[in-house]
Amino acid sequence: MAGLNCGITIALLGVLLLNAALPPLGVASEIAVPHGSGITVLIKPGTPTLPAKACYIVVFKKHVTTLSIKSGERTVFSFSCQDPENHFVVEIQKNIDCMSGPCPFGEVQLQPSPSVLPALNRTFIWDVKAHKSIGLELQFSKPRLRQIEPGESCPDGVTHSISGRIDTTMVRIGTFCSNGTVSRIKMQEGVKMALHLPWFHDRNISGFSIANRSSIKRLCIIESVFEGEGSATLMSANYPDGFPEDELMTWQFVIPGHLRASVSFLNFNNSNCEKKEERVEYYIPGSTTNPEVFKLEDKQPGNMAGNFNLSLQGCDQDAQSPGIFRLQFQVLVQHPQNESNKTYVVDLSDERAMSLTIEPKPIRLSRKFVPACYVCLETWFCNTTLTLTSGSKHKISFLCNDLTRLQMNAEKTISCTDRRYCHKKSYPLQVPSNILQLPVQLHNFSWKLLVPKDSLSLVLVPVQKLQQHTYERACNTSFRYLVASAVPGQDLYFGSFCSGGSIEQIQVKQNISVTLRTFAPSYQQDISRQGLTVSFRPYFTEEAVFTVTPDVKSKVYLRTPNWDRGLPSLASVSWNISVPRDQVACLTFLKERTGLVCQTGRAFMIIQEQRMRAEEIFSLEEVLPKPRFHHHSFWVNISNCSPVSGKQLDMLFWVLLSPRTTDVTVIIIAVVGGGALLMFALGLIICLVKKKKKKEINKGPAVGIYNGNVNTQMPMQSKKFQKRRKDNDSHVYAVIDDTMVYGHLLQDSNGSFVQPEVDTYRPFQGPTGDCPPSPPPIGFRAPTAKLTTDEPPPDIPPESESEPYTFSHPNKENVSNGNTDIPLLDGHKPAEPGE
């Protein structure tokens, strides 16, 4: 007996321990489904958001994961966890058969009531089947629906999923949120509507009703109602998958009479059609050619007043490769603007190779509705972006509440293919007047100037002298000219220029683009006072040549092209700087060193006086010269090497003019000295004349007797200097300063230049003025020691006595030919003046 009691005690203890191990039971729920309602309630596992402990449905003390309650059944159940909303969902599906009996039209109720359902995420599904000849209409009360893409979520968590039926195939019409414009959806052959409610939402109405309609003879019709300004984004059936083959879908838009509507396609794809053609059709109020048929790639209508329809028609697709036919578009409704009733004529019939694009300015996106700006071609064909081409006359209007949100960009190509035709011809770079009369700001107008390679170069001449935009002196004008290379693969930006400077001319070697960019609305008046002219000239090797006439009132700041990115490798740029006769130019460099490090080759700067033909050559890897004064016009040439990455060549310098002055002391000394010398010379001449006359008076008559033994040669005084001037080095400079080293230009009999020898130098012999100095060869090196008269340089050729001072040059015949340096730049014949 004692053993039996012990066994019972152990069994009871095991049951207690088992119950203690199980999670506490939730509150019991009861669901009763009315008989004959066609409703099925299904509780099933959902998609857990976070890993959690197991949870079960407890029915009659059994733990299950799925519970189905059919029509006429009553079930009591509970959950084995305290958070069943994180584990389960409930679906309530009602099947409505309109083929075997009448349809329960009218407002749709939520059954069973949400109050008796457990607090789970729930989905109410209504599956309605009907004949093809019967149309079904879903009517949505306010707030209306807004279509979203599959995978998107609604802010309140409430979504509507609507599908149609083609025979036995279900077609997804779309997924919708609240607060939109969709008021009705018409379908035939049945509809499946699913309403998804989150577990915490207390909604107790479906929000829609079902009505009976006649056959619509298409997949569906979606009605979108606008009560004021706004926009709606809509999609084709099955989007983003393919639209059903050879089907028709229609959208009806209800627009208040005082508003205007515009359509724009956001995304579309065409399938591979065997028969028919994919298209969109519009029924536009006021059109005499309804329906208006468009391809998907065409510009779509805009600025439409009143209600209109849009239909999407598919085709018979290729069975082997059908492709995907889909469409996503937007309808924008807004108030008409004053500009929408005004038509502008843009006449580009006389232009060639030109295009004009009107488009929105980049703006930040906002959650608040902002009316879009549309540009309309021939009133109805509106889009946010419109491109007009040359050779035609265009009529445009604007549907925009603020035209400052739009901008214009134009591009024109001027090319020369025949050198004989283009040589020395000029073309003005001017903005057409009918573009300036448009109420939209011009942002960019670009001219692409093209010339045959290595045959012609370009010259830009402004009406008013230009100023280069620098940090030290920025352009504050309403527009600028941006000049850059248009050679494919060449990253070369010559600079930004505006009116009111000192640059009279810009010469460039090859193709360039000149862009007029505006910065203020006053550009329309300023452009009329400024302009550029381009002309074609014979080819030259400089990347660019700037002709500069400084202003006596201010500094002229100049900088190398590609500022902040570095002058391209092996590029050469020159500045032709004019100095008036009564002025002195001070040339100053911003930094003492450029920071340039050459990987191959050498970088030089040449400063050449155009009148004296004197050149100075400086290595750009060393210290730059200090401020220096020039009394005559001069050249500045900068030639780059192949620099090390990160050690690019950027140089900025300025020129300042000041009046030329003369020292009074020097003038007085020169006058006094000159007068004294003149008096001394006159006295000496008078003395010699008197002495000569006195000798002639004292002489007797001359007797002519020949004596053959007498030496008739007049004895000569011994020379004080045994060498003549041409035999000694008195005319050779005693010291040649390191900074006074001169470049070379050798020319053979055929007129072509010859590569010089290593460590030799010859002075510049070409024409000056319009031609910049040529950079020295890579083998050139400045002397490191000073030459004196005690140590004359070897092999100095004799100089003419008519040259009082000359620089010594090595003898060409005695120079070794063992040059192992590789030339950096090939010698070219300089361009003739004026070319």
Side-chain angles (χ1 to χ4, degrees), residues 14 94 106 144 195 220 244 282 316 339-340 349 442 503 524 566 595 623 636 655 660 665 698-699 786 801 831:
K94 182 175 183 178
R144 300 185 178 98
L195 175 62
C220 69
Y282 291 87
D316 292 334
E339 293 295 336
S340 65
S349 55
L442 176 67
I503 299 176
Q524 293 184 339
V623 179
V636 176
V655 179
R660 183 181 298 188
T665 304
N698 295 333
K699 282 184 180 181
K786 295 182 178 180
E801 288 186 358

PDB file of all heavy atoms in Angstrom, residues 14 94 106 144 195 220 244 282 316 339-340 349 442 503 524 566 595 623 636 655 660 665 698-699 786 801 831:
ATOM      1  N   GLY A  14       5.388  14.547 -11.261  1.00  0.00           N
ATOM      2  CA  GLY A  14       5.823  14.682 -12.666  1.00  0.00           C
ATOM      3  C   GLY A  14       4.890  15.569 -13.452  1.00  0.00           C
ATOM      4  O   GLY A  14       5.311  16.376 -14.282  1.00  0.00           O
ATOM      5  N   LYS A  94     -13.756  34.921 -47.880  1.00  0.00           N
ATOM      6  CA  LYS A  94     -15.155  34.711 -48.205  1.00  0.00           C
ATOM      7  C   LYS A  94     -15.280  34.521 -49.707  1.00  0.00           C
ATOM      8  O   LYS A  94     -14.847  35.375 -50.495  1.00  0.00           O
ATOM      9  CB  LYS A  94     -16.003  35.907 -47.762  1.00  0.00           C
ATOM     10  CG  LYS A  94     -17.493  35.723 -48.042  1.00  0.00           C
ATOM     11  CD  LYS A  94     -18.308  36.864 -47.482  1.00  0.00           C
ATOM     12  CE  LYS A  94     -19.805  36.617 -47.722  1.00  0.00           C
ATOM     13  NZ  LYS A  94     -20.642  37.687 -47.147  1.00  0.00           N
ATOM     14  N   GLY A 106     -23.494  45.762 -52.878  1.00  0.00           N
ATOM     15  CA  GLY A 106     -23.632  46.752 -51.815  1.00  0.00           C
ATOM     16  C   GLY A 106     -22.367  46.828 -50.991  1.00  0.00           C
ATOM     17  O   GLY A 106     -21.295  46.338 -51.379  1.00  0.00           O
ATOM     18  N   ARG A 144      -9.707  57.780 -50.644  1.00  0.00           N
ATOM     19  CA  ARG A 144      -9.513  56.927 -51.814  1.00  0.00           C
ATOM     20  C   ARG A 144      -8.139  56.259 -51.779  1.00  0.00           C
ATOM     21  O   ARG A 144      -7.367  56.461 -50.845  1.00  0.00           O
ATOM     22  CB  ARG A 144      -9.693  57.765 -53.081  1.00  0.00           C
ATOM     23  CG  ARG A 144     -11.094  58.401 -53.185  1.00  0.00           C
ATOM     24  CD  ARG A 144     -11.266  59.106 -54.507  1.00  0.00           C
ATOM     25  NE  ARG A 144     -12.610  59.680 -54.635  1.00  0.00           N
ATOM     26  CZ  ARG A 144     -12.915  60.939 -54.402  1.00  0.00           C
ATOM     27  NH1 ARG A 144     -11.947  61.790 -54.037  1.00  0.00           N
ATOM     28  NH2 ARG A 144     -14.144  61.394 -54.534  1.00  0.00           N
ATOM     29  N   LEU A 195      -7.818  42.806 -48.007  1.00  0.00           N
ATOM     30  CA  LEU A 195      -7.589  43.939 -47.122  1.00  0.00           C
ATOM     31  C   LEU A 195      -6.696  43.486 -45.978  1.00  0.00           C
ATOM     32  O   LEU A 195      -7.069  42.620 -45.193  1.00  0.00           O
ATOM     33  CB  LEU A 195      -8.928  44.463 -46.585  1.00  0.00           C
ATOM     34  CG  LEU A 195      -8.854  45.581 -45.541  1.00  0.00           C
ATOM     35  CD1 LEU A 195      -8.201  46.822 -46.109  1.00  0.00           C
ATOM     36  CD2 LEU A 195     -10.250  45.884 -44.987  1.00  0.00           C
ATOM     37  N   CYS A 220      -9.554  45.756 -67.151  1.00  0.00           N
ATOM     38  CA  CYS A 220     -10.069  46.557 -66.051  1.00  0.00           C
ATOM     39  C   CYS A 220     -10.094  48.024 -66.451  1.00  0.00           C
ATOM     40  O   CYS A 220      -9.451  48.434 -67.433  1.00  0.00           O
ATOM     41  CB  CYS A 220      -9.228  46.369 -64.767  1.00  0.00           C
ATOM     42  SG  CYS A 220      -7.580  47.067 -64.859  1.00  0.00           S
ATOM     43  N   PRO A 244      -0.415  41.378 -69.409  1.00  0.00           N
ATOM     44  CA  PRO A 244      -0.935  40.205 -70.136  1.00  0.00           C
ATOM     45  C   PRO A 244      -0.968  40.444 -71.650  1.00  0.00           C
ATOM     46  O   PRO A 244      -1.205  41.556 -72.130  1.00  0.00           O
ATOM     47  CB  PRO A 244      -2.343  40.037 -69.555  1.00  0.00           C
ATOM     48  CG  PRO A 244      -2.288  40.679 -68.206  1.00  0.00           C
ATOM     49  CD  PRO A 244      -1.331  41.823 -68.348  1.00  0.00           C
ATOM     50  N   TYR A 282      -5.428  58.032 -76.177  1.00  0.00           N
ATOM     51  CA  TYR A 282      -6.027  59.078 -75.345  1.00  0.00           C
ATOM     52  C   TYR A 282      -7.356  59.520 -75.942  1.00  0.00           C
ATOM     53  O   TYR A 282      -7.477  59.666 -77.167  1.00  0.00           O
ATOM     54  CB  TYR A 282      -5.103  60.304 -75.256  1.00  0.00           C
ATOM     55  CG  TYR A 282      -3.832  60.094 -74.473  1.00  0.00           C
ATOM     56  CD1 TYR A 282      -2.687  59.597 -75.086  1.00  0.00           C
ATOM     57  CD2 TYR A 282      -3.760  60.432 -73.124  1.00  0.00           C
ATOM     58  CE1 TYR A 282      -1.515  59.422 -74.386  1.00  0.00           C
ATOM     59  CE2 TYR A 282      -2.587  60.263 -72.399  1.00  0.00           C
ATOM     60  CZ  TYR A 282      -1.467  59.756 -73.037  1.00  0.00           C
ATOM     61  OH  TYR A 282      -0.302  59.584 -72.333  1.00  0.00           O
ATOM     62  N   ASP A 316       0.120  40.644 -79.733  1.00  0.00           N
ATOM     63  CA  ASP A 316       0.395  39.211 -79.745  1.00  0.00           C
ATOM     64  C   ASP A 316       1.905  39.024 -79.702  1.00  0.00           C
ATOM     65  O   ASP A 316       2.624  39.384 -80.640  1.00  0.00           O
ATOM     66  CB  ASP A 316      -0.180  38.574 -81.010  1.00  0.00           C
ATOM     67  CG  ASP A 316      -1.702  38.591 -81.016  1.00  0.00           C
ATOM     68  OD1 ASP A 316      -2.288  38.615 -79.917  1.00  0.00           O
ATOM     69  OD2 ASP A 316      -2.298  38.600 -82.108  1.00  0.00           O
ATOM     70  N   GLU A 339       1.549  81.784 -68.317  1.00  0.00           N
ATOM     71  CA  GLU A 339       2.392  81.409 -69.444  1.00  0.00           C
ATOM     72  C   GLU A 339       1.794  80.266 -70.257  1.00  0.00           C
ATOM     73  O   GLU A 339       2.172  80.057 -71.395  1.00  0.00           O
ATOM     74  CB  GLU A 339       3.785  81.017 -68.945  1.00  0.00           C
ATOM     75  CG  GLU A 339       4.594  82.166 -68.356  1.00  0.00           C
ATOM     76  CD  GLU A 339       4.925  83.219 -69.387  1.00  0.00           C
ATOM     77  OE1 GLU A 339       4.952  82.882 -70.584  1.00  0.00           O
ATOM     78  OE2 GLU A 339       5.166  84.375 -69.008  1.00  0.00           O
ATOM     79  N   SER A 340       0.862  79.495 -69.648  1.00  0.00           N
ATOM     80  CA  SER A 340       0.305  78.358 -70.380  1.00  0.00           C
ATOM     81  C   SER A 340      -0.586  78.809 -71.524  1.00  0.00           C
ATOM     82  O   SER A 340      -0.863  78.044 -72.442  1.00  0.00           O
ATOM     83  CB  SER A 340      -0.473  77.454 -69.423  1.00  0.00           C
ATOM     84  OG  SER A 340      -1.602  78.150 -68.911  1.00  0.00           O
ATOM     85  N   SER A 349      15.221  77.530 -87.882  1.00  0.00           N
ATOM     86  CA  SER A 349      15.274  77.051 -89.268  1.00  0.00           C
ATOM     87  C   SER A 349      16.569  77.439 -89.969  1.00  0.00           C
ATOM     88  O   SER A 349      17.023  76.737 -90.877  1.00  0.00           O
ATOM     89  CB  SER A 349      14.076  77.575 -90.057  1.00  0.00           C
ATOM     90  OG  SER A 349      14.014  78.990 -89.975  1.00  0.00           O
ATOM     91  N   LEU A 442      18.732  81.249 -69.441  1.00  0.00           N
ATOM     92  CA  LEU A 442      19.735  80.461 -70.145  1.00  0.00           C
ATOM     93  C   LEU A 442      20.835  80.090 -69.167  1.00  0.00           C
ATOM     94  O   LEU A 442      21.437  80.963 -68.530  1.00  0.00           O
ATOM     95  CB  LEU A 442      20.313  81.261 -71.312  1.00  0.00           C
ATOM     96  CG  LEU A 442      21.453  80.593 -72.096  1.00  0.00           C
ATOM     97  CD1 LEU A 442      20.951  79.370 -72.833  1.00  0.00           C
ATOM     98  CD2 LEU A 442      22.085  81.586 -73.058  1.00  0.00           C
ATOM     99  N   ILE A 503      42.900  90.589 -71.567  1.00  0.00           N
ATOM    100  CA  ILE A 503      43.206  89.569 -72.564  1.00  0.00           C
ATOM    101  C   ILE A 503      42.505  89.932 -73.862  1.00  0.00           C
ATOM    102  O   ILE A 503      41.273  89.980 -73.927  1.00  0.00           O
ATOM    103  CB  ILE A 503      42.779  88.177 -72.070  1.00  0.00           C
ATOM    104  CG1 ILE A 503      43.526  87.820 -70.785  1.00  0.00           C
ATOM    105  CG2 ILE A 503      43.038  87.129 -73.139  1.00  0.00           C
ATOM    106  CD1 ILE A 503      43.102  86.512 -70.169  1.00  0.00           C
ATOM    107  N   GLN A 524      21.022  88.988 -70.016  1.00  0.00           N
ATOM    108  CA  GLN A 524      20.442  89.321 -71.312  1.00  0.00           C
ATOM    109  C   GLN A 524      20.912  90.683 -71.806  1.00  0.00           C
ATOM    110  O   GLN A 524      21.182  90.864 -72.992  1.00  0.00           O
ATOM    111  CB  GLN A 524      18.915  89.279 -71.227  1.00  0.00           C
ATOM    112  CG  GLN A 524      18.360  87.882 -70.984  1.00  0.00           C
ATOM    113  CD  GLN A 524      16.848  87.853 -70.988  1.00  0.00           C
ATOM    114  OE1 GLN A 524      16.203  88.865 -70.785  1.00  0.00           O
ATOM    115  NE2 GLN A 524      16.273  86.687 -71.225  1.00  0.00           N
ATOM    116  N   GLY A 566      46.737  70.710 -62.599  1.00  0.00           N
ATOM    117  CA  GLY A 566      48.079  70.638 -63.159  1.00  0.00           C
ATOM    118  C   GLY A 566      48.087  70.712 -64.670  1.00  0.00           C
ATOM    119  O   GLY A 566      47.227  70.138 -65.350  1.00  0.00           O
ATOM    120  N   GLY A 595      56.815  73.668 -56.735  1.00  0.00           N
ATOM    121  CA  GLY A 595      56.539  72.365 -56.145  1.00  0.00           C
ATOM    122  C   GLY A 595      56.522  71.240 -57.162  1.00  0.00           C
ATOM    123  O   GLY A 595      56.159  70.106 -56.848  1.00  0.00           O
ATOM    124  N   VAL A 623      64.107  77.536 -57.831  1.00  0.00           N
ATOM    125  CA  VAL A 623      63.516  78.775 -57.341  1.00  0.00           C
ATOM    126  C   VAL A 623      63.144  79.667 -58.518  1.00  0.00           C
ATOM    127  O   VAL A 623      63.939  79.850 -59.458  1.00  0.00           O
ATOM    128  CB  VAL A 623      64.498  79.504 -56.407  1.00  0.00           C
ATOM    129  CG1 VAL A 623      63.894  80.815 -55.916  1.00  0.00           C
ATOM    130  CG2 VAL A 623      64.843  78.619 -55.209  1.00  0.00           C
ATOM    131  N   VAL A 636      56.193  85.297 -72.124  1.00  0.00           N
ATOM    132  CA  VAL A 636      56.377  84.332 -71.037  1.00  0.00           C
ATOM    133  C   VAL A 636      55.919  82.988 -71.563  1.00  0.00           C
ATOM    134  O   VAL A 636      54.755  82.820 -71.923  1.00  0.00           O
ATOM    135  CB  VAL A 636      55.577  84.715 -69.777  1.00  0.00           C
ATOM    136  CG1 VAL A 636      55.727  83.629 -68.719  1.00  0.00           C
ATOM    137  CG2 VAL A 636      56.031  86.055 -69.235  1.00  0.00           C
ATOM    138  N   VAL A 655      51.000  90.934 -63.620  1.00  0.00           N
ATOM    139  CA  VAL A 655      51.746  92.008 -64.270  1.00  0.00           C
ATOM    140  C   VAL A 655      51.148  93.328 -63.825  1.00  0.00           C
ATOM    141  O   VAL A 655      49.923  93.518 -63.868  1.00  0.00           O
ATOM    142  CB  VAL A 655      51.686  91.883 -65.803  1.00  0.00           C
ATOM    143  CG1 VAL A 655      52.448  93.037 -66.460  1.00  0.00           C
ATOM    144  CG2 VAL A 655      52.246  90.535 -66.257  1.00  0.00           C
ATOM    145  N   ARG A 660      57.021 105.158 -66.529  1.00  0.00           N
ATOM    146  CA  ARG A 660      58.478 105.123 -66.641  1.00  0.00           C
ATOM    147  C   ARG A 660      59.050 106.449 -66.156  1.00  0.00           C
ATOM    148  O   ARG A 660      58.633 107.506 -66.583  1.00  0.00           O
ATOM    149  CB  ARG A 660      58.896 104.864 -68.083  1.00  0.00           C
ATOM    150  CG  ARG A 660      60.399 104.752 -68.275  1.00  0.00           C
ATOM    151  CD  ARG A 660      60.746 104.519 -69.731  1.00  0.00           C
ATOM    152  NE  ARG A 660      60.174 103.263 -70.215  1.00  0.00           N
ATOM    153  CZ  ARG A 660      60.465 102.751 -71.411  1.00  0.00           C
ATOM    154  NH1 ARG A 660      61.286 103.399 -72.235  1.00  0.00           N
ATOM    155  NH2 ARG A 660      59.915 101.622 -71.787  1.00  0.00           N
ATOM    156  N   THR A 665      69.577 113.173 -61.464  1.00  0.00           N
ATOM    157  CA  THR A 665      71.039 113.244 -61.279  1.00  0.00           C
ATOM    158  C   THR A 665      71.768 112.745 -62.502  1.00  0.00           C
ATOM    159  O   THR A 665      72.772 113.321 -62.954  1.00  0.00           O
ATOM    160  CB  THR A 665      71.436 112.425 -60.043  1.00  0.00           C
ATOM    161  OG1 THR A 665      70.701 112.899 -58.927  1.00  0.00           O
ATOM    162  CG2 THR A 665      72.927 112.546 -59.776  1.00  0.00           C
ATOM    163  N   ASN A 698     106.827 128.365 -91.760  1.00  0.00           N
ATOM    164  CA  ASN A 698     108.277 128.260 -91.488  1.00  0.00           C
ATOM    165  C   ASN A 698     109.002 127.396 -92.500  1.00  0.00           C
ATOM    166  O   ASN A 698     110.237 127.402 -92.561  1.00  0.00           O
ATOM    167  CB  ASN A 698     108.514 127.717 -90.094  1.00  0.00           C
ATOM    168  CG  ASN A 698     108.005 128.699 -89.010  1.00  0.00           C
ATOM    169  OD1 ASN A 698     107.961 129.905 -89.253  1.00  0.00           O
ATOM    170  ND2 ASN A 698     107.649 128.157 -87.857  1.00  0.00           N
ATOM    171  N   LYS A 699     108.374 126.591 -93.281  1.00  0.00           N
ATOM    172  CA  LYS A 699     109.022 125.697 -94.236  1.00  0.00           C
ATOM    173  C   LYS A 699     109.516 126.490 -95.455  1.00  0.00           C
ATOM    174  O   LYS A 699     108.832 127.399 -95.895  1.00  0.00           O
ATOM    175  CB  LYS A 699     108.068 124.592 -94.694  1.00  0.00           C
ATOM    176  CG  LYS A 699     107.904 123.481 -93.667  1.00  0.00           C
ATOM    177  CD  LYS A 699     107.019 122.395 -94.233  1.00  0.00           C
ATOM    178  CE  LYS A 699     106.852 121.269 -93.229  1.00  0.00           C
ATOM    179  NZ  LYS A 699     106.016 120.192 -93.765  1.00  0.00           N
ATOM    180  N   LYS A 786      81.002  80.311 -63.853  1.00  0.00           N
ATOM    181  CA  LYS A 786      81.094  81.586 -64.533  1.00  0.00           C
ATOM    182  C   LYS A 786      82.347  81.624 -65.395  1.00  0.00           C
ATOM    183  O   LYS A 786      83.424  81.185 -64.979  1.00  0.00           O
ATOM    184  CB  LYS A 786      81.113  82.732 -63.519  1.00  0.00           C
ATOM    185  CG  LYS A 786      79.818  82.855 -62.721  1.00  0.00           C
ATOM    186  CD  LYS A 786      79.874  84.025 -61.782  1.00  0.00           C
ATOM    187  CE  LYS A 786      78.552  84.159 -61.031  1.00  0.00           C
ATOM    188  NZ  LYS A 786      78.579  85.296 -60.097  1.00  0.00           N
ATOM    189  N   GLU A 801      84.583  92.728 -86.181  1.00  0.00           N
ATOM    190  CA  GLU A 801      84.904  93.943 -85.445  1.00  0.00           C
ATOM    191  C   GLU A 801      83.734  94.891 -85.367  1.00  0.00           C
ATOM    192  O   GLU A 801      83.717  95.799 -84.556  1.00  0.00           O
ATOM    193  CB  GLU A 801      86.093  94.658 -86.116  1.00  0.00           C
ATOM    194  CG  GLU A 801      87.407  93.918 -85.906  1.00  0.00           C
ATOM    195  CD  GLU A 801      88.579  94.723 -86.444  1.00  0.00           C
ATOM    196  OE1 GLU A 801      88.305  95.807 -86.990  1.00  0.00           O
ATOM    197  OE2 GLU A 801      89.711  94.294 -86.300  1.00  0.00           O
ATOM    198  N   ALA A 831      55.339  79.842 -86.345  1.00  0.00           N
ATOM    199  CA  ALA A 831      54.356  80.438 -87.245  1.00  0.00           C
ATOM    200  C   ALA A 831      54.780  81.846 -87.612  1.00  0.00           C
ATOM    201  O   ALA A 831      55.419  82.554 -86.841  1.00  0.00           O
ATOM    202  CB  ALA A 831      52.982  80.459 -86.585  1.00  0.00           C
TER     203      ALA A 831
END
